[in-house]
Amino acid sequence: MNFPVAICHNYSLVEKNTLGLPSTAKYYAEVNSVVELQSALAFARDKQLPVIPLGGGSNVVLGDVLDALVVHVNLKGRTVLNRDQDYVRVRARAGENWHEFVLWSLDNRAYGLENLSLIPGNVGAAPIQNIGAYGVELMDSFVSLEAMSLESGLVEYFDRQSCGFGYRDSVFKGEKRDQYIIVSVTLDLDATLKPNLGYGQLGDLLARRLGDQAPSAVDVSRAVCDIRREKLPDPSCLGNAGSFFKNPEVSPSEMDRLKQIYPDIVAYPLGQNWKLAAGWLIDQAGMKGARKGCVGTYHKQALVLVNHGGATVRDVLSFSGQVQQKVNDKFGVQLEREPRLYMGDVDKISH
């Protein structure tokens, strides 16, 4: 059977993941169109291979050898679909860089994503994770997405309800996991700027810069970028996968228990529960800036694991497990890994 897409064998992924881990894909394809994606998935079905989608490579931990078809989703395109006095409807294809898409939206007077500036990765990964930062989440502006079924090769439509969004969560991390590859995302952004400055550090920085002057969307975006750059290392200089642990959610009773022991604990209301600052927990457990061999936590932000050079997936898992144990021992709170872990063949792809 002939497939109209180039399939590479034993392809190195060391440059395709921001942690910089050595990894080899038994099969690899870069797809630049829906037709090429369908062809790549047909190849995987023909060879009975698991499929691993790869975008910007910023939210994954890759094993040494992946006995799978790794599909680099490189679908490009950004469009303003409609504009009225309240909203601007935009669509971006999955391979667009997220930060560049945010800047494009501001250039097109479409507001609401400025707080999500400089989040690493591509558009296609954004709804899977329901990315969020500084008081804003993707679901706030989400309309719909199109995703290709790995089983049928057909493109299906998902509205907001069918995506099952939660805190850093969606149906694509649950019951629809490993069943679809997202090809485009549609959002309704604001036609007029409604800045969200509730996050203290962001509001404080803008107040110092602008005084009583109202910030523009670009002002907000630049402030967010400056805060992120201050706290987070550039993957091109120091390998990392962004935030490595989720901020854990606890019940009100658990929050009361922790507050009695640690009055200065950093936490935020999340519905009826509380969200704990994982970085604070790691810091208080004595693991901020800690290092074991080639892997450590970043000295400016304990939430980020970094590859100082030469690390393997085993090094990352060993050290991250040590961080989890230290936090659990001190607080009785279990941290969950945020990046997706891929280890070996289909039976070893970890959830």
Side-chain angles (χ1 to χ4, degrees):
M1 185 180 295
N2 293 322
F3 300 94
V5 64
I7 305 293
C8 302
H9 297 266
N10 297 323
Y11 187 90
S12 173
L13 301 173
V14 67
E15 300 292 335
K16 299 293 185 181
N17 72 101
T18 60
L19 254 174
L21 298 181
S23 178
T24 300
K26 187 171 182 180
Y27 299 96
Y28 172 88
E30 178 178 299
V31 298
N32 300 289
S33 69
V34 169
V35 170
E36 288 186 354
L37 178 55
Q38 288 173 324
S39 173
L41 297 184
F43 173 85
R45 289 193 297 272
D46 183 64
K47 300 291 186 182
Q48 297 184 315
L49 292 168
V51 175
I52 298 176
L54 193 63
S58 61
N59 199 42
V60 293
V61 178
L62 302 182
D64 297 333
V65 178
L66 304 179
D67 190 6
L69 173 66
V70 174
V71 178
H72 180 209
V73 181
N74 197 39
L75 308 177
K76 301 292 188 180
R78 304 173 297 209
T79 309
V80 175
L81 299 176
N82 186 48
R83 181 187 298 270
D84 61 27
Q85 63 180 4
D86 296 316
Y87 295 105
V88 183
R89 180 161 291 187
V90 300
R91 177 176 294 154
R93 303 188 85 191
E96 289 287 344
N97 174 271
W98 174 261
H99 178 61
E100 292 178 5
F101 171 59
V102 171
L103 298 182
W104 173 87
S105 71
L106 301 185
D107 287 342
N108 282 274
R109 306 186 315 282
Y111 309 111
L113 301 181
E114 49 275 357
N115 289 41
L116 305 182
S117 297
L118 212 61
I119 290 180
N122 291 353
V123 167
I128 297 173
Q129 187 77 359
N130 184 25
I131 59 171
Y134 307 111
V136 174
E137 291 184 308
L138 178 79
M139 64 180 288
D140 299 334
S141 56
F142 182 85
V143 175
S144 64
L145 61 79
E146 293 177 314
M148 185 175 294
S149 165
L150 271 61
E151 182 178 358
S152 69
L154 299 178
V155 175
E156 301 180 22
Y157 173 91
F158 291 81
D159 61 14
R160 176 173 172 159
Q161 182 176 357
S162 60
C163 286
F165 289 124
Y167 171 65
R168 302 298 172 270
D169 198 17
S170 74
V171 71
F172 300 103
K173 295 178 73 173
E175 63 180 276
K176 302 293 185 185
R177 191 185 191 103
D178 299 326
Q179 297 179 38
Y180 292 90
I181 292 180
I182 293 173
V183 297
S184 72
V185 177
T186 300
L187 306 176
D188 270 350
L189 303 178
D190 293 321
T192 56
L193 178 63
K194 302 170 185 175
N196 185 331
L197 307 180
Y199 183 85
Q201 191 176 4
L202 177 58
D204 292 344
L205 177 57
L206 287 167
R208 291 197 302 271
R209 289 181 174 178
L210 303 174
D212 295 332
Q213 178 182 340
S216 68
V218 172
D219 290 330
V220 176
S221 175
R222 286 176 177 167
V224 168
C225 290
D226 289 343
I227 293 171
R228 292 185 68 89
R229 289 190 179 107
E230 174 64 25
K231 296 195 302 182
L232 304 175
D234 183 345
S236 65
C237 301
L238 185 61
N240 72 90
S243 296
F244 199 87
F245 299 104
K246 298 178 184 178
N247 291 318
E249 182 178 341
V250 298
S251 66
S253 61
E254 180 67 1
M255 185 64 208
D256 289 341
R257 179 189 73 82
L258 290 166
K259 192 75 172 176
Q260 289 177 4
I261 305 172
Y262 308 101
D264 58 345
I265 191 169
V266 180
Y268 308 93
L270 183 66
Q272 295 183 345
N273 294 327
W274 288 84
K275 179 176 65 174
L276 306 180
W280 185 90
L281 299 175
I282 296 168
D283 188 0
Q284 296 301 305
M287 294 299 287
K288 183 177 182 179
R291 177 172 177 174
K292 180 182 178 182
C294 301
V295 183
T297 50
Y298 191 49
H299 67 282
K300 293 184 178 181
Q301 173 52 274
L303 206 55
V304 177
L305 262 63
V306 295
N307 176 5
H308 290 285
T312 68
V313 65
R314 291 166 188 80
D315 298 327
V316 170
L317 296 182
S318 174
F319 181 79
S320 62
Q322 183 178 340
V323 173
Q324 289 171 310
Q325 189 62 54
K326 290 281 189 180
V327 169
N328 196 31
D329 289 346
K330 185 174 181 65
F331 297 100
V333 173
Q334 182 63 41
L335 294 181
E336 291 184 34
R337 184 182 63 245
E338 190 164 312
R340 179 75 189 272
L341 172 65
Y342 292 101
M343 292 285 287
D345 60 24
V346 67
D347 296 323
K348 297 178 184 176
I349 291 179
S350 172
H351 292 191

